[in-house]
Amino acid sequence: MAIGKSLKHSACVGIAALLAFEPLIAAPAPSEHRIAIDATKAGPTISRDIFGQFAEHLGSGIYGGIWVGRGSPIANVRGIRSDVVQALRAIEVPNVRWPGGCFADNYHWRNGIGPQDKRPQTLNPDWGGVIEPNSFGTDEYFDFLGQIGADAFISENIGSGTAQESADWFEYMTSGKPTTLANLRAANGHAAPYRIKYLGLGNESWGCGGAMSPDHYVEEMKRFSHYTRNYNPAQQSGSAAMKRIAVGWDSGNSDYTEAVMKAWKDKVWSWDIEGVSLHGYTIPNSWEQKGPSFGFGESEYAKAIRATLKMKDWIARETAIMDRYDPDRKVGLYIDEWGIWTDPNPGTNPGFLQQQNTLRDAVIAGLNLDIFMRNAERVRGSNIAQMVNVLQAMILTDGPRMVRTPTYYVYRMYVPFHDATLVPVAFDPGSYIFGTISVPQVDAVAARDKAGNLWLATINVDPDKPAHFVASISGISARDAAGELLTSSRVDAHNSFESPNTVIPRTFAGHVARGTVEFDLPPAAIAVVQVR
Ligand code: AHR
């Protein structure tokens, strides 16, 4: 957008100055979009776990990004950096998936407990081959969760670990009885059993997690599901019970989902699952040459938007399979890794997956969160990859410096949608066309929060054209609509350590007349308003 647009604009200014005429190219007129919101109807609950995060031992995702150690000059509480904790608290992170990713299938939990100076130095073979100091282990993870107020999502090692190792880990974490492992946990500073909301039964077991055939995985998954027990007395039944998520979707291939769901339909008493995972990344170009994370023009922008909208089809495909075996929708779909994956920043270790985060990524975050919310009947959770310094991060750090990304602000703006009730919305999306790429121009989702307030999230994807919304709402007589807007003059605009406030939300309000709410979104913008 802005690259081309500012060129056009400066050319005009030059001609105008020369000829003393008005600029020849006018700003595009806004497109018009009618939205019908039926606030008399209630859809499914939008699980707050749709706004979950993923933190892997990868690059500076943990070390430097979260963990700085007790002796660090960076302000910290028990080794966990306080600026990051404070930022994450503001987005009300529901859960953090840990320790991987591919790392999970290399992880041996005993290396990461006990006195720091006795922990072994191991390797991180998948991510840069660097030394893993094991300073951030199980007890540090739970301390971090406590500091940010999030639930635990543990990915266990099915690839290189044993069922016994996992069983011991879960006894260490959850036993309320004074077994040797529970006593060890108490000696390490935590007498009470930890709560674990989610158990990931392996990670990408079709690839880095063991390269297993679907049938082989199903046999392993059933064994691990049985032996990985959560002993926490408060989690033995009902909604508090730990949910187990099996590996699904293999980059365009549903064989795992089919095999897992078929096995689930015929399951016996000794094992069960409550979820199947889908990993779906937005790759703007090809896997080999993904494209830059900043300094790009409209072509890269349009390709990324087209790529990210595939999520809708992936979910539809997985849902159709799950519906065949589970028409009552007992098993949830968890998009437990997603986000834009670009080329690494020049000059960085390619194994660290460090990339800049732009307004484009904020639009991508909003579009995906909208897709998940619309599918809330089946989609019960998602974990963006990854929380700090890796891929589509919320936060970037560099030594003592920290900056919130545009994606972070989308997560902050969407907090009212946590555990809200979806409200049906019909709208005319229009089209954003760039060359041969044509995608819907606008998006809209509405929901009522737990207090009954009505919220509306809207996105204008078009990087050149503003969008004018006219929203009619059945069920309430609107008085005003106010909230926040996130945009910038360039789609590759980003926040840097030097300029941390380039892309930040600003207050935003609609105009209410005769019961309809009207507002204008600038090009490439995300708005969330409360309609009162
Ligand atoms: O998020 C980075 C990597 O992407 C994860 O480790 C892996 O599960 C996926 O392929």
Side-chain angles (χ1 to χ4, degrees), residues 54 56-58 97 99-105 126-127 203-204 206 208-209 251 279 281 287 336-338 341 353 384-386 390-391:
F54 172 35
E56 179 167 17
H57 289 235
L58 193 175
R97 181 171 179 258
C102 295
F103 180 81
D105 284 289
D126 282 314
W127 302 119
N203 171 75
E204 299 190 356
W206 30 265
C208 65
S251 345
H279 288 186
Y281 284 98
W287 182 251
D336 57 9
E337 279 188 33
W338 67 275
W341 192 327
L353 312 186
I384 189 167
Q386 299 192 7
V390 178
L391 300 177

Side-chain angles (χ1 to χ4, degrees), residues 15-294:
I15 294 164
L18 275 175
L19 304 179
F21 286 144
E22 285 296 300
L24 298 174
I25 302 173
S31 51
E32 177 126 350
H33 306 271
R34 299 202 161 263
I35 312 186
I37 304 171
D38 191 349
T40 62
K41 299 219 170 79
T45 300
I46 299 164
S47 168
R48 63 194 292 268
D49 288 323
I50 279 180
F51 305 88
Q53 302 282 330
F54 172 35
E56 179 167 17
H57 289 235
L58 193 175
S60 51
I62 301 283
Y63 297 110
I66 295 170
W67 176 259
V68 288
R70 288 174 191 252
S72 171
I74 300 170
N76 68 86
V77 174
R78 294 179 294 278
I80 294 162
R81 61 187 294 169
S82 301
D83 52 354
V84 168
V85 166
Q86 193 202 352
L88 292 173
R89 286 186 74 84
I91 59 170
E92 302 187 18
V93 175
N95 71 76
V96 182
R97 181 171 179 258
W98 175 85
C102 295
F103 180 81
D105 284 289
N106 289 303
Y107 188 59
H108 300 286
W109 69 275
R110 285 179 204 269
N111 293 338
I113 57 164
Q116 286 281 337
D117 60 353
K118 300 270 179 324
R119 298 195 189 176
Q121 305 286 298
T122 53
L123 285 173
N124 188 334
D126 282 314
W127 302 119
V130 294
I131 288 184
E132 164 60 51
N134 288 297
S135 327
F136 189 88
T138 305
D139 297 298
E140 290 76 21
Y141 167 66
F142 280 99
D143 189 5
F144 171 59
L145 294 181
Q147 291 190 35
I148 66 170
D151 287 319
F153 182 158
I154 300 265
S155 258
E156 69 181 341
N157 180 348
I158 290 190
S160 71
T162 63
Q164 184 63 56
E165 184 185 6
S166 278
D168 289 349
W169 192 14
F170 275 66
E171 185 185 321
Y172 175 85
M173 292 187 285
T174 64
S175 174
K177 298 214 169 86
T179 65
T180 303
L181 285 169
N183 290 343
L184 183 57
R185 183 191 69 229
N188 288 335
H190 207 274
Y194 292 122
R195 287 177 83 97
I196 301 172
K197 185 160 185 184
Y198 294 110
L199 159 65
L201 291 156
N203 171 75
E204 299 190 356
S205 305
W206 30 265
C208 65
M212 301 175 203
S213 69
D215 290 344
H216 181 67
Y217 170 72
V218 165
E219 295 311 309
E220 292 292 304
M221 180 271 289
K222 292 195 298 200
R223 216 156 55 83
F224 275 76
S225 164
H226 177 67
Y227 290 110
T228 314
R229 293 190 165 108
N230 184 324
Y231 297 101
N232 187 322
Q235 290 199 270
Q236 293 312 302
S237 59
S239 61
M242 181 174 78
K243 295 178 177 56
R244 294 152 288 188
I245 302 171
V247 173
W249 177 266
D250 162 8
S251 345
N253 180 329
S254 297
D255 291 354
Y256 258 61
T257 316
E258 189 80 45
V260 165
M261 290 306 297
K262 186 167 182 293
W264 177 81
K265 188 156 187 290
D266 300 327
K267 70 181 185 302
V268 294
W269 67 270
S270 57
W271 74 277
D272 206 347
I273 54 167
E274 288 75 28
V276 174
S277 91
L278 186 167
H279 288 186
Y281 284 98
T282 297
I283 314 283
N285 294 287
S286 65
W287 182 251
E288 294 70 31
Q289 289 201 311
K290 301 180 181 74
S293 64
F294 64 106

Side-chain angles (χ1 to χ4, degrees), residues 50 52-54 97 204 249 278-285 287 290-291 293 303-311 314-315 334-343 353 355-358 360-369 371-372 381-387 390-394 407 411:
I50 279 180
Q53 302 282 330
F54 172 35
R97 181 171 179 258
E204 299 190 356
W249 177 266
L278 186 167
H279 288 186
Y281 284 98
T282 297
I283 314 283
N285 294 287
W287 182 251
K290 301 180 181 74
S293 64
K303 281 189 279 182
I305 298 296
R306 177 178 59 186
T308 215
L309 291 172
K310 287 186 195 156
M311 181 60 81
W314 296 341
I315 290 176
Y334 290 82
I335 325 303
D336 57 9
E337 279 188 33
W338 67 275
I340 183 165
W341 192 327
T342 67
D343 294 335
L353 312 186
Q355 60 191 49
Q356 191 41 271
N357 192 291
T358 63
R360 173 184 70 176
D361 303 1
V363 171
I364 283 173
L367 290 173
N368 279 278
L369 291 173
I371 293 171
F372 302 153
S382 101
N383 300 81
I384 189 167
Q386 299 192 7
M387 188 157 60
V390 178
L391 300 177
Q392 189 172 351
M394 304 292 116
T407 299
Y411 272 73

